[in-house]
Amino acid sequence: MAGVYCARDLHFPNTVKLVAIKEMMMHTDDSLLRDSIIQNFEREANILASLSHPAIPHIADYFTRGDRSYLILEFIQGKDLEKIINDTPGFIPEDQVIKWALEICDVLYYLHNYHPKPIVFRDMKPSNVMIDNNSHVFLIDFGIAKVFETGVKGTMIGTEGFSPPEQYRGEATPQADIYSLGATLHYLLTKVDPREEPPFTFHERKVRSVNQDISEEFENIINRAVRYKPEERYSNILEMKTALDRCLHGSRPAHRAEKSLDETASSNDVFSVRPVWIFECEDEIRQAPYYYNDMVYVGAYDRNLYAINANTGKMEWKAPTEGGIASKPAVLENAIYFGSEDKKLYSLYLKDGSLKWAYSTDDAIRSSPRIYNKVIYIGSDDGRLHAVSAESGHALWKIEAAGPVRSSVLVDDDLLYFGCEEGDFYCASLSGEIKWRNKTKRAVTSSPAVYQEEVIFASLEGHLFALDKNSGWIIWRYRMQKGSISSPLVFKDYVYVGSADGYLYCVDVFRPVEKWKFKTGGQIAGSPAVYEENIYCGSTDGYLYCLDATNGRMVWKYKTEGPITGSPVLFSHMLYIGSMDHRLYAIKV
Amino acid sequence: MNNNAIIHYQAAFAQSIGKQRDHNEDSIYVNTGLSFDNSGVKAFGLFIVADGMGGYVAGEAASSAATNASAVSLIKNMMIPFISDVMTDNMMSLHEAMEKSITDAQQAVVNLAPGGGTTIITGLLLDHQLTLAHIGDSRAYFIGRDGSIVYLTKDHSIIQKLIDTGEISEDEALSHPNRNYLYKAVGRDNSVKADIVTHVFRNDSRLLLCSDGLWGVVNENKIIKIVSKAKNIQIACDQLVAEANKAGGPDNISVILVESREIAV
């Protein structure tokens, strides 16, 4: 119930002197209550008038007219931190945040040591901190508006998300301001608004799980400031300032971001990840391999499908096609199935790779086969989804899609789900009848995943979608910074998906809320894989990453010699992944 | 479900001022329906409970303003497209439509009930997807026919947080001076963000939406017992309200129960 005006002071007719006028309204007809509100207001205005600090706007006057009271304050040209957070693309650099934090510490030190009585600001949050055009800090809004809020169920003291627990018991000590400053810094660095998170949960949401560019030292300072118990925080603001000062000027190690990506050769030594074997073919491996019965099958751009012994890495056979293979194979009984850019779907006998049958489509096949009830479902660049008998290699039916089908089909509850390059997403019956379709703005190359009643996939328009699997209605969508062709993985109520923006995202399966994201140095095109609580994914920066599924912390990474666009496959503590360096790696996990 | 049956939602509700208040600050909204088209029969429902605060006029005005505004918003953005079966590439997702309904509710409270605030719990059923949006301490539960209860929302109350972190015990909470303290309410801040989540609504359970006038005085076991034993959901609603009044009725009481029914055709 307050407004702020920018006004010109007409006492100075020959110059433009701007002031800020803060207007506060009373919502009561009770005259006793009114008098007490006005008294409180005047007391607060007098306190404000007695303060003198470069980071506190000067107060020029105050008065009350009718049911409104006014404060005339120095006008600050600049932006508040809330607006800076919203206007900054990406993250605000650590050094900048520390510099502001140091100035805030200065003014809080002034307030906390004020005589005759220390002043607790009580409402430290980004929208109450102005940054002027010279990048200096001003504290605005001295909670003076609060005397206008009368006893109502639910009235807040301080601001939800930024206030410490003890403030709800009516305690206001300097430790409360330390907590709120910690909360403000957390928001500045992560852009995760604490008002949208359960209160007092900063310890569950460490800064570096969101923003890996931040030093551990700075993260530790924030962690200590936002401790639940006041006595575990800094004992005074000066102590916090000293820590921040040391963080900015002290001999801290280089930021992780600065050293992460160019340390190629040494990083494999750092994490001591060693492949058990490496198999080399003649061209790039762009898709995931398939594991079956102690064998790993993988297609390469050298046009061959390779059958490799999973224990030794020795080739048992290879079978040529007439095009590059960008399709992950699948096995049924005694045969293996995969597509090739030569437009054909192949079926080869597992024992020696001899041809069982080949089925022709009208364009390159870049999608992977799915097998259900002895029928192979596979998309083709000819704009169709083909259903082919596994036994005979004859077409059962085809669905005409709006564009090339590179997405691989998901079969669930006797229904088929797939996307196409024109952005349409389809649900069809096993007999090829379209049940529903939904349209996204750009290509859906990603292959869907299903969880309970939701079907989940990514689109090149930059959204991760969750649709009702029965009707196709959009339940939620989650915005990524760039488009994605990565196929989502669902594990324990969370969706894991990569994007061209380089992030691997972990998003709640029931709502578009991010749990964590991890930045790689390239794009993530493949699907992540999970094995014993760890998430594995490759990136075009050449690394295979192993991340802790619960918090997105990197456990290790392994550098290959080329970009990785495929997905890892895990079986019995072994991980198999191909890279564009022409190699298939087998790594013990 | 057999092929000759259709599912639809049936709802019942009950409300009471309680025994200790002289006015009702709660508002509710109930709407169920069916539509038929080429792809079959679609069932839908929209249910809202809001518990106003802020004194005599403001509280009542806030809860009804929020309830009506969010109902209108959801009917326009979700139910009409759902019935007309129009899917466009710039359609809102369910969660976005829920968010919009809360923003609209917020705006309505600021305009129509300045100074007032309200909780809100909204349940939107489209086919068997239940999407909930909530702010404050009005609650949603699934009550299974097997006697199970699943608490679907988490109160935005400081007391809940203090209990969760072990700061105070459940017993202490009952007499805590900040017992009614919410850290989120519609109309009380410039921007307010609801918790939004989608659940599958199964045939074997019932959905209960209620204000703290019910859950604050009638314990979960009693709620389960009443709902499972009652002949139908209307009787259950009436008995729940009577039970809250029997326990002193310190606050306004609002209850909505929803179940899915199979009808042979």
Side-chain angles (χ1 to χ4, degrees), chain A residues 1 27 149-150 152-157 159-160 165 168-170 195-201 228 435-441 452-454 463 467-477 510-512, chain B residues 51 53-54 78 81-82 85-96 114-115 126-129 131 137 158 161-162 165 167 176 178 180-184 187-189 193 196-198 200 202 212 251:
Chain A
M1 307 315 126
H27 292 283
E149 289 173 10
T150 47
V152 164
K153 176 188 176 185
T155 305
M156 269 286 306
I157 323 163
T159 295
E160 163 209 338
Y168 298 99
R169 293 191 299 260
R195 286 166 293 193
E196 291 167 19
E197 304 292 329
F200 328 131
T201 53
Y228 189 87
K435 304 283 279 185
W436 54 258
R437 78 152 90 179
N438 198 317
K439 182 133 180 81
T440 79
K441 294 187 179 79
Q452 294 186 1
E453 297 296 313
E454 290 178 2
H463 277 118
L467 268 47
D468 174 28
K469 69 179 195 183
N470 298 293
S471 66
W473 284 77
I474 308 168
I475 297 170
W476 55 258
R477 58 183 155 196
F510 299 112
R511 53 208 178 114
Chain B
D51 174 0
M53 57 195 86
M78 223 58 226
F82 181 78
D85 206 22
V86 185
M87 263 187 215
T88 57
D89 59 359
N90 50 13
M91 221 179 72
M92 277 187 192
S93 72
L94 269 170
H95 284 230
E96 287 158 350
L126 294 180
D127 278 343
H128 37 261
Q129 297 279 10
T131 305
D137 64 357
I158 290 305
K161 199 61 209 180
L162 296 175
T165 51
E167 187 88 349
H176 195 278
N178 290 350
N180 292 329
Y181 232 87
L182 301 183
Y183 59 83
K184 266 190 195 185
R188 299 304 299 167
D189 209 334
K193 200 154 178 184
I196 299 173
V197 70
T198 298
V200 178
R202 302 197 188 280
D212 62 345
D251 201 349

Side-chain angles (χ1 to χ4, degrees), chain A residues 355-464:
Chain A
L355 186 71
K356 183 178 172 192
W357 50 255
Y359 167 87
S360 288
T361 72
D362 291 339
D363 210 332
I365 297 182
R366 298 190 170 101
S367 123
S368 304
R370 297 282 193 254
I371 308 175
Y372 184 69
N373 277 347
K374 301 201 175 185
V375 178
I376 317 291
Y377 300 97
I378 195 162
S380 162
D381 276 10
D382 67 10
R384 297 185 190 101
L385 178 75
H386 299 257
V388 181
S389 155
E391 207 47 56
S392 64
H394 288 108
L396 301 173
W397 49 255
K398 299 166 194 174
I399 290 175
E400 294 284 343
V405 180
R406 293 180 184 168
S407 154
S408 303
V409 174
L410 169 86
V411 188
D412 180 80
D413 262 354
D414 285 350
L415 289 171
L416 308 169
Y417 300 90
F418 63 99
C420 85
E421 297 301 297
E422 286 299 312
D424 298 65
F425 187 85
Y426 299 90
C427 168
S429 70
L430 292 181
S431 53
E433 176 200 2
I434 291 176
K435 304 283 279 185
W436 54 258
R437 78 152 90 179
N438 198 317
K439 182 133 180 81
T440 79
K441 294 187 179 79
R442 304 261 321 261
V444 179
T445 312
S446 158
S447 306
V450 77
Y451 191 72
Q452 294 186 1
E453 297 296 313
E454 290 178 2
V455 54
I456 300 156
F457 62 90
S459 160
L460 262 181
E461 72 170 71
H463 277 118
L464 177 68

